[in-house]
């Protein structure tokens, strides 16, 4: 017998346009698939079309339109080379969902692989460390308690102190400045917000603990819905400018849910061709299109010396589809373990 739904707790996400609504739809279906007993709530801005709102209403328990909050902090956003992140200040509206006692916020570019209802046993503000600076938390997944007082405090903090990165993460880390040292129980394990970016990954740990991952977070500019999906083979095609950023296994998992749960609704509503141009980024091929490659897998098109390869690794430019692919790295690790230095 299925557990009854908890009425005063919810998973919350945000969609600022139709493209991120695709992510929100897949996120919601992934939560349903793992048997969550919590409500699903979404915040949307006016840029989300009415057709998309209908699709969202089919899977979310509540939809709340909010006015965009933009940091207007061009100098700090320039440090991230991500000026679009200013709109993520709209995330602060999640503290106004006071019909709930406790919530878990999740970015729309996240994917749930295992049940995470145990997060509701945590207290505000619980979050996982950010890979780039572990004394800061990543704001893609966090536990919070809705409160008008906290909302006003965050706005005041934004006015008086601002955000050191121009986005919501810098502001939230400023407001909850004692997160790193106050209470270790509010540090979520990495498996609740695992960065899918290969450049950030500690590969041996991924090999050891990867099957325990509960949430995958597709940080960065490249998002799952920007990859090409071949409907004939049912496979995601590697993207020469994006595939090195994310583990394709998780991109495939995202698309598997999209094709099974979201695409049929689009087709039934006959909106696949009539929705906003923003959604034209979806790439669905009816016939397999093999990725162009001038060489055999694992053989670099332009051989490079060891110093150049080291520099590329340090810059996060790793050829995971070629010489630096998983099998070769694992082989090297095994050799070192078995043979010693």
């Amino acid at each position: 017998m299925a557990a009854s739904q908890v009425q005063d707790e919810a998973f919350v996400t945000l969609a600022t346009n139709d493209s991120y609504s695709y992510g929100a739809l897949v996120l919601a279906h992934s939560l349903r698939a793992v048997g969550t007993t919590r409500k699903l709530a979404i915040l949307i801005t006016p840029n989300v079309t009415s057709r998309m709102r209908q699709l969202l209403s089919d899977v979310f328990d509540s939809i709340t339109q909010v006015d965009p909050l933009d940091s207007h902090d061009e100098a700090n956003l320039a440090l991230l080379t991500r000026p679009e992140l200013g709109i993520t200040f709209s995330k602060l509206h999640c503290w106004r969902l006071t019909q709930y006692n406790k919530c878990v916020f999740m970015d729309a570019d996240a994917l749930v692989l295992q049940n995470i209802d145990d997060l509701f046993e945590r207290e505000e503000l619980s979050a996982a460390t950010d890979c780039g600076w572990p004394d800061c938390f990543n704001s893609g997944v966090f536990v919070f308690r809705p409160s008008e007082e906290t909302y006003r405090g965050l706005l005041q903090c934004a006015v008086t102190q601002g955000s050191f990165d121009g986005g919501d993460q810098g502001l939230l880390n400023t407001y909850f400045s004692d997160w790193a040292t106050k209470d270790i129980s509010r540090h979520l394990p990495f498996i609740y917000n695992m960065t899918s970016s290969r450049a950030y990954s500690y590969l041996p740990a991924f090999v050891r603990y990867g099957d325990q991952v509960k949430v995958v977070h597709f940080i960065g500019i490249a998002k799952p819905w920007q990859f090409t999906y071949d409907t004939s083979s049912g496979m995601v095609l590697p993207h020469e400018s994006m595939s090195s950023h994310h583990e394709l296994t998780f991109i495939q998992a995202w698309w598997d849910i999209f094709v099974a749960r979201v695409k049929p609704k689009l087709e039934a509503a006959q909106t696949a061709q009539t929705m906003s141009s923003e959604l034209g980024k979806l790439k669905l091929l009816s016939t397999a299109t093999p990725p162009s490659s001038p060489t055999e897998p694992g053989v670099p098109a332009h051989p490079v010396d060891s110093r150049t390869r080291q520099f590329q690794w340090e810059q996060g430019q790793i050829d995971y589809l070629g010489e630096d692919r998983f099998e070769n790295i694992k082989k090297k690790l095994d050799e070192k373990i078995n043979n010693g230095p």
Side-chain angles (χ1 to χ4, degrees):
M1 180 177 178
S4 59
Q5 190 175 58
V6 178
Q7 299 299 310
D8 64 347
E9 295 180 345
F11 286 101
V12 181
T13 192
L14 166 70
T16 55
N17 55 42
D18 281 349
S19 289
Y20 273 84
S21 294
Y22 275 142
L25 286 167
V26 171
L27 170 62
H29 281 295
S30 70
L31 281 163
R32 300 286 191 201
V34 297
T36 182
T37 60
R38 269 58 178 190
K39 294 274 193 176
L40 302 186
I42 185 170
L43 305 174
I44 62 171
T45 65
N47 289 334
V48 176
T49 64
S50 58
R51 292 175 184 268
M52 180 57 75
R53 295 182 193 202
Q54 181 58 51
L55 291 176
L56 293 169
S57 67
D58 289 340
V59 65
F60 283 93
D61 295 297
S62 67
I63 299 177
T64 303
Q65 180 171 311
V66 299
D67 293 325
L69 291 174
D70 197 304
S71 70
H72 298 291
D73 194 344
E74 296 180 3
N76 283 333
L77 288 173
L79 295 176
L80 290 177
T81 65
R82 295 284 303 283
E84 77 279 9
L85 284 181
I87 196 68
T88 61
F89 268 52
S90 304
K91 185 184 294 188
L92 303 185
H93 282 289
C94 69
W95 268 273
R96 309 195 76 183
L97 298 176
T98 53
Q99 66 268 40
Y100 302 114
N101 179 52
K102 189 184 291 185
C103 296
V104 174
F105 186 92
M106 304 187 72
D107 278 349
D109 58 350
L111 178 69
V112 177
L113 305 178
Q114 300 183 48
N115 188 286
I116 54 173
D117 285 358
D118 58 300
L119 285 179
F120 290 92
E121 299 171 9
R122 305 268 182 160
E123 278 302 327
E124 181 180 80
L125 188 289
S126 291
T129 60
D130 188 87
C131 292
W133 197 266
D135 280 344
C136 292
F137 59 83
N138 183 280
S139 61
V141 178
F142 60 85
V143 182
F144 70 101
R145 286 189 179 274
S147 162
E148 285 286 347
E149 181 180 358
T150 303
Y151 174 72
R152 290 192 296 269
L154 284 163
L155 291 185
Q156 182 65 21
C157 181
V159 172
T160 58
Q161 300 186 60
S163 166
F164 59 77
D165 67 1
D168 68 272
Q169 184 163 304
L171 175 63
L172 292 176
N173 272 278
T174 298
Y175 187 81
F176 297 99
S177 60
D178 60 355
W179 172 86
T181 57
K182 182 179 180 180
D183 184 357
I184 192 64
S185 70
R186 301 189 186 191
H187 290 213
L188 298 182
F190 188 56
I191 58 174
Y192 288 91
N193 187 1
M194 192 203 76
T195 302
S196 68
S197 174
R198 288 166 164 173
Y200 278 93
S201 293
Y202 173 27
L203 186 59
F206 177 73
V207 173
R208 173 65 176 83
Y209 302 109
D211 61 347
Q212 299 176 26
V213 172
K214 295 176 181 288
V215 178
V216 177
H217 187 188
F218 300 100
I219 69 167
I221 296 175
K223 303 302 180 186
W225 51 87
Q226 295 173 317
F227 283 71
T228 300
Y229 180 87
D230 178 17
T231 57
S232 297
S233 65
M235 300 296 292
V236 174
L237 302 182
H239 191 296
E240 59 185 23
S241 65
M242 296 182 189
S243 58
S244 63
H245 293 285
H246 296 300
E247 171 56 56
L248 282 178
T249 300
F250 299 125
I251 299 291
Q252 182 69 48
W254 188 95
W255 272 96
D256 287 344
I257 292 177
F258 178 85
V259 171
R261 300 294 183 183
V262 180
K263 184 171 177 285
K265 294 290 184 69
L266 286 171
E267 294 171 337
Q270 297 183 341
T271 59
Q273 284 79 39
T274 60
M275 297 181 90
S276 70
S277 59
E278 183 90 43
L279 304 182
K281 296 176 182 177
L282 279 177
K283 301 173 183 178
L284 294 166
L285 300 183
S286 58
T287 57
T289 304
S292 58
S293 175
T295 61
E296 291 297 317
V299 180
H302 304 286
V304 295
D305 58 54
S306 59
R307 289 178 61 86
T308 300
R309 286 190 66 224
Q310 179 180 347
F311 178 77
Q312 290 175 340
W313 268 71
E314 292 171 349
Q315 297 298 308
Q317 300 170 1
I318 304 169
D319 181 19
Y320 276 99
L321 297 180
E323 190 171 355
D324 301 322
R325 69 188 191 278
F326 174 79
E327 300 96 302
N328 286 348
I329 295 174
K330 187 175 186 301
K331 181 179 178 181
K332 285 285 186 181
L333 290 172
D334 290 341
E335 289 176 353
K336 288 293 184 183
I337 293 171
N338 294 330
N339 301 328

